[in-house]
Amino acid sequence: MEDCFRIKQGLCFLLFLCVTDVLCVSIHYSVPEEKKTGSLVANVLKDLKLGVRELSARRAQLVSETSKQYFRLDTHTGNLLISEKIDREALCGQTEPCLLVSQIVLQNPLKIYSIEIKIEDVNDNAPKFSKNDFQFGIPENVPPNTRFPLESAQDEDLGENSIQNYTLSPNEHFQLGVESNTDGSKYVTLILEKALDREKEPHLGLTLTAIDGGVPQRTGTSQINVNVLDINDNFPEFTQSEYKAILKENCLRDTLVSRVEARDLDFGSNAQITYSFHRMPKKIHNLFNLNEMTGEITVLGEIDYEKETNYEMTIQATDGGGLSGHCKLLVEVEDVNDNAPEISVISINSPLPEDSPLETLVVLFSVKDQDSGENGQILCSVDMNLPFVLKVTTNHFYQLVIQSSLDREKVQDYNVTITAMDRGSPRLTSTRVIHVQISDVNDNPPVFEKSFFEMQVQENNIPGLLIGSVQAVDLDTEQNAKLSYSLLPGNIGGGPVASYVSINSETGNMYALRSMDYEKIKDFKVTVKTTDSGNPPMSSDVIVHVIVTDENDNAPFFLYPLQNSTHPCNELLPKMAEAGYLITKLVAVDGDSGQNSWLSYELLKATDPGLFSIGAQNGEVKTRRPLTERDASKQRLVIAVRDNGVPPQTSTAMLNILLVDGFSDPYLKVVDVRQQEPENEGTLTMYLVICLATVSFVFLLCIVSFVGIKMCKKDHGSSFIVAPPHFPPAIPENCTDSQSGSLSRNFPYDVCLTNGSLSSEFRFLRPLIPVFSVADPNIPVNHNSSSVSQDLPEYLDDNKASEQVRKWFPILFFQKGMNIW
């Protein structure tokens, strides 16, 4: 009765747990034991009110509370089938009803159905006696109606299939008495109806038969041998009719449970008492040991509270004369916390997309503890620093759901440690590590290594030259991080970007598609776009500034004197001019920039080299000495201008200087110097031949006359030495030459002369093209350069020269008198 009451309490407790956030419905089925594997128990679709395909769609799972899975669920048909043959006696013993509780777990949404399957008993066990024969010694003076307890047969079946009746073989001395215990089991006694007479019949043989109520009916028999004894008129008597003991589970072997004591008033052998178990199941024989001499009951086997909570034993005391007395021993097993919680994972959603919404189910698991009371109460927890949280459902089911957003770029996976701890003493803990991987989604755009790229390419490059590379990174992985590069449409100098540069879509290398010209395009900007291969794709762009560096590929060009006219440029020089007189200023420009545009001037050839000098940096032509009557009235100068590039470029200009008495005449006739050039050249040649002959004669005369005499020192006249120009280390932009009275080197100007004036008058405008002069005088000058003269028609064409003058020097020239250019 107590077992039945406890089972009812447990069912009520389970029903109470079902009232939670997740609906739990109980369904009851029954199935006989010993049915074949694969036998149908029931179809759950109708009871669950579900469609045929809903079980598989909602990932239905059958979770058993036992260690063995006796049933399985066919999610396609809804049939509940037997997966392992069931033996009710091995599973539940004498417990009635024998229930197997399982849960059907449905997901999306989560719903749990509790299924209780009652295992029905079949009559598959016959009654059995512990012995095939029993020996009784009965004194002959025992009065009629004396009762002799017999050991009952054991039948593992229950109900109608258990023992229903006992029969005794016919005899004239004994009859059988059948009575029931409080638990419904039957026990028998042998009743003496007629006094025994040892002298007539010293031995009696009886057959005891136990009959169950099953179909087919099964029986068990045992032989009873009665020996008629001489008179022993005192029975052993126990000091207590019932003993009680409390025993903790898992106690050690040979632990004392209790000690019983019986007394006999007889003497001699009739007073010698031995103790034994009476009417004991086999399982108790395996758990406890009774000392037949002392009456001490000790532990023999393993005591497990989870298998049995109490034991009831009958102990018999027998004296030497065969008389016996009986008592009961009730042993209550006390639970200890010896079972750690068990964590059973039902489903894991891994890998988990990093953009999964909050409350997404990650792990579904159940926890159970075989202990009872506080020892069976469980607390579950996970680490606090994780983006997951536990939620309790019903029947010790737990959900691990997302509580904060995931980012694979920060954490690629998680090792979630689930800890289950009971409330026993000491507390027992179980852990289960769940590995949850985070899968990537395309949520990060590509990022360039720099916010702005700058590259350089030298002009006159070969097409296809690698000018630089752009690189970007993507924090995503695999396909989402695979990048491709492209150029956004745009224009450079009126042409499309694609005609100037290209980019490798895989490496980001940029190539020049054409030869660059610094004088046309000094720099340009292109926009590079990188796109990943995700879905949807993400992209970023960056501006690349390409700077074209200058190369010394342009020779200097004279703006003054302009070398495109058929008439040479003539300058007037008063004969009264003193040394240092400024005759004119040569102006040249270079299409290159930087060091390649720093110009220096040099006097290559002159009619009288000692008469004129030219400023290496400013191009000012001055007299070196006062004029004399011997100086030719017509002087021709060949002047070279050289840039500072590597290798240097050179151009030449021719300047004619006419020596005049003054500038008072209102009109100066332009003399055609070219007609007199042959005469001057012939005269000069004649003078050179006469000088050479004279020198040769003097030399021969000296060798003959003054052999062995020291050579006299010769005073050489001063001559004009052409030296490489000296470039100062740095010339400020607004610096002026105070000694020479000239302008700053970066100011071009025009010379305007009036009649009767011995000095020049200048007008200056804002500089447009700075001319830098830097060079090392120790560096040799390379004269292998291209020259620009009036004999080069393609470069000194009138129209071209005018355009270049307008381009480089848009300067207004003013004059008081006659403007000479």
Side-chain angles (χ1 to χ4, degrees), residues 58-283:
R58 295 179 64 180
R59 301 174 64 183
Q61 291 181 277
L62 182 65
V63 181
S64 175
E65 292 187 355
T66 61
S67 58
K68 288 186 178 181
Q69 191 78 18
Y70 290 99
F71 304 95
R72 63 182 177 87
L73 178 63
D74 189 345
T75 56
H76 299 288
T77 62
N79 289 336
L80 186 63
L81 306 175
I82 296 175
S83 61
E84 187 172 346
K85 192 174 182 180
I86 303 172
D87 186 357
R88 193 203 67 79
E89 288 75 30
L91 184 64
C92 299
Q94 298 298 313
T95 303
E96 180 64 24
C98 181
L99 298 177
L100 288 179
V101 180
S102 301
Q103 284 84 26
I104 295 180
V105 181
L106 301 178
Q107 300 184 22
N108 302 320
L110 180 64
K111 195 169 184 181
I112 301 172
Y113 296 88
S114 180
I115 298 179
E116 293 182 359
I117 303 175
K118 180 180 179 182
I119 309 302
E120 297 178 349
D121 184 44
V122 297
N123 192 24
D124 58 341
N125 294 284
K128 293 182 180 179
F129 290 90
S130 61
K131 297 179 182 180
N132 292 329
D133 59 278
F134 295 92
Q135 303 293 330
F136 284 89
I138 301 176
E140 60 181 352
N141 61 344
V142 173
N145 296 324
T146 300
R147 293 176 176 269
F148 301 93
L150 298 176
E151 182 174 347
S152 300
Q154 301 293 327
D155 193 341
E156 294 181 356
D157 297 323
L158 297 177
E160 293 296 326
N161 296 327
S162 64
I163 297 173
Q164 301 297 318
N165 194 16
Y166 290 88
T167 60
L168 188 65
S169 60
N171 65 91
E172 60 178 352
H173 294 282
F174 297 93
Q175 69 175 4
L176 201 59
V178 180
E179 297 178 11
S180 298
N181 288 320
T182 57
D183 59 355
S185 62
K186 298 182 181 298
Y187 66 93
V188 294
T189 56
L190 194 62
I191 304 173
L192 182 62
E193 289 187 336
K194 182 180 178 182
L196 299 174
D197 187 358
R198 180 181 176 280
E199 285 72 21
K200 290 182 179 180
E201 194 173 9
H203 301 286
L204 292 175
L206 305 176
T207 301
L208 178 62
T209 303
I211 305 171
D212 64 19
V215 178
Q217 196 175 61
R218 297 178 182 270
T219 61
T221 60
S222 180
Q223 190 71 28
I224 300 176
N225 297 318
V226 179
N227 296 320
V228 180
L229 304 177
D230 285 335
I231 297 172
N232 181 20
D233 55 353
N234 290 292
F235 291 88
E237 292 182 3
F238 285 91
T239 57
Q240 299 178 29
S241 61
E242 186 174 278
Y243 292 84
K244 293 182 179 180
I246 297 177
L247 184 64
K248 287 188 176 182
E249 67 170 326
N250 302 325
C251 58
L252 299 177
R253 185 184 175 97
D254 297 329
T255 300
L256 180 64
V257 180
S258 182
R259 185 176 183 274
V260 297
E261 183 181 359
R263 298 174 183 175
D264 196 317
L265 298 178
D266 293 323
F267 293 96
S269 62
N270 292 331
Q272 293 180 356
I273 298 174
T274 58
Y275 300 92
S276 62
F277 287 121
H278 181 64
R279 294 184 300 182
M280 284 283 289
K282 184 178 180 180
K283 63 180 180 180

Side-chain angles (χ1 to χ4, degrees), residues 650-809:
T650 304
S651 296
T652 60
M654 184 176 293
L655 179 65
N656 293 323
I657 300 176
L658 304 179
L659 276 62
V660 296
D661 292 333
F663 299 142
S664 58
D665 297 338
Y667 175 77
L668 292 176
K669 182 179 179 180
V670 178
V671 180
D672 190 356
V673 183
R674 291 177 298 172
Q675 297 176 359
Q676 300 176 6
E677 284 180 0
E679 179 183 354
N680 293 337
E681 290 178 355
T683 304
L684 180 61
T685 304
M686 182 183 67
Y687 289 159
L688 290 175
V689 171
I690 293 173
C691 290
L692 180 61
T694 304
V695 170
S696 300
F697 175 78
V698 172
F699 178 71
L700 293 175
L701 183 63
C702 289
I703 290 177
V704 174
S705 304
F706 304 101
V707 175
I709 302 174
K710 282 187 174 182
M711 292 183 65
C712 296
K713 294 183 179 180
K714 267 179 104 178
D715 186 18
H716 299 283
S718 59
S719 62
F720 178 75
I721 301 174
V722 179
H726 173 68
F727 294 97
I731 301 176
E733 290 186 359
N734 298 324
C735 178
T736 62
D737 191 346
S738 59
Q739 295 179 357
S740 63
S742 62
L743 293 175
S744 170
R745 293 177 178 83
N746 57 354
F747 275 86
Y749 58 91
D750 180 36
V751 180
C752 302
L753 304 177
T754 59
N755 291 336
S757 175
L758 298 179
S759 62
S760 298
E761 190 168 327
F762 304 101
R763 300 281 182 171
F764 308 106
L765 294 180
R766 179 175 58 86
L768 294 180
I769 301 178
V771 179
F772 300 93
S773 300
V774 290
D776 190 344
N778 297 323
I779 299 176
V781 179
N782 185 2
H783 293 278
N784 295 330
S785 59
S786 62
S787 65
V788 179
S789 67
Q790 61 185 7
D791 297 332
L792 300 177
E794 68 274 10
Y795 188 77
L796 297 178
D797 180 76
D798 291 340
N799 294 332
K800 279 192 175 182
S802 301
E803 288 177 2
Q804 291 198 16
V805 170
R806 285 194 298 269
K807 175 181 177 182
W808 293 104
F809 268 78

